[in-house]
Amino acid sequence: ERLARIDTVVFDKTGTLTSGEMRLIDQEDLAPEALAAAAALGAYSKHPHSQALTQFAPIDGARLSVTDVREEAGFGVEGQIDGRLYRLGRTDWSVFVQQDAPTTGTVLSCEGRILAVFRFEEQLRSGAVAAIDDLRASDVGIQILSGDSASAVAAVASSLSIADHASSLLPGEKVRRLEALAEQGHKVMMVGDGL
């Protein structure tokens, strides 16, 4: 009965509209030491970017030792490697030493300084186009709310012709946007694990 009244469907992006399987691009431009540190930290997180980086652990299996690991939802994972603080995640969380910092991508920092910027690509999920087309034909509003970068979200939104999308959102910000839609009288369904 509640589904019959839905007038807006909000999608998370990764693993919902896309396969969730990330592929690191431009890896040949990255230092092996940075890839090894990112792989070691990434092993402590279930985020798709972290999981994609774990494949870059040294071939001999001797992963760097990480201690004092802590993951902060929506921001990234941090830990001590050789007595120094490393962070893998959002730029605004990872970087705390004044320097030019990218506004998109996942970064690896050491003691607050950027060591590497990682960029990923992903494929649309099988059936995503048909599902969006079916919703559009049913006169349902469609939005994407994602924690990913603006360029990644825009690429998926463009490929699915979804005009209403937002990026770089923390889980709490997604909740507030859903609450705002409900306050406007919309009957909203959220699809995905981004909350």
Side-chain angles (χ1 to χ4, degrees), residues 42-176:
Y44 292 93
S45 172
K46 295 295 183 199
H47 191 281
H49 290 178
S50 293
Q51 290 299 295
L53 288 166
T54 60
Q55 68 179 305
F56 295 100
I59 301 292
D60 61 9
R63 190 182 303 272
L64 294 174
S65 176
V66 184
T67 59
D68 301 325
V69 178
R70 183 178 69 87
E71 186 169 20
E72 191 164 337
F75 290 97
V77 61
E78 70 177 14
Q80 298 280 329
I81 299 175
D82 294 329
R84 295 166 47 190
L85 176 66
Y86 282 77
R87 282 184 167 178
L88 177 67
R90 292 170 63 119
T91 302
D92 55 355
W93 176 76
S94 301
V95 179
F96 47 87
V97 173
Q98 185 64 37
Q99 68 184 111
D100 290 333
T103 56
T104 62
T106 297
V107 301
L108 173 71
S109 70
C110 178
E111 299 295 334
R113 291 191 175 279
I114 293 177
L115 295 182
V117 178
F118 304 104
R119 302 201 191 287
F120 301 88
E121 66 181 9
E122 56 188 324
Q123 298 296 315
L124 284 180
R125 183 177 213 127
S126 163
V129 173
I132 296 300
D133 287 347
D134 286 348
L135 288 170
R136 196 172 281 120
S138 299
D139 230 9
V140 172
I142 304 165
Q143 297 184 20
I144 299 174
L145 299 181
S146 176
D148 285 350
S149 70
S151 59
V153 175
V156 170
S158 174
S159 65
L160 295 169
S161 300
I162 299 174
D164 198 347
H165 54 87
S167 58
S168 303
L169 298 175
L170 297 173
E173 293 172 314
K174 293 178 189 178
V175 170
R176 285 189 288 283

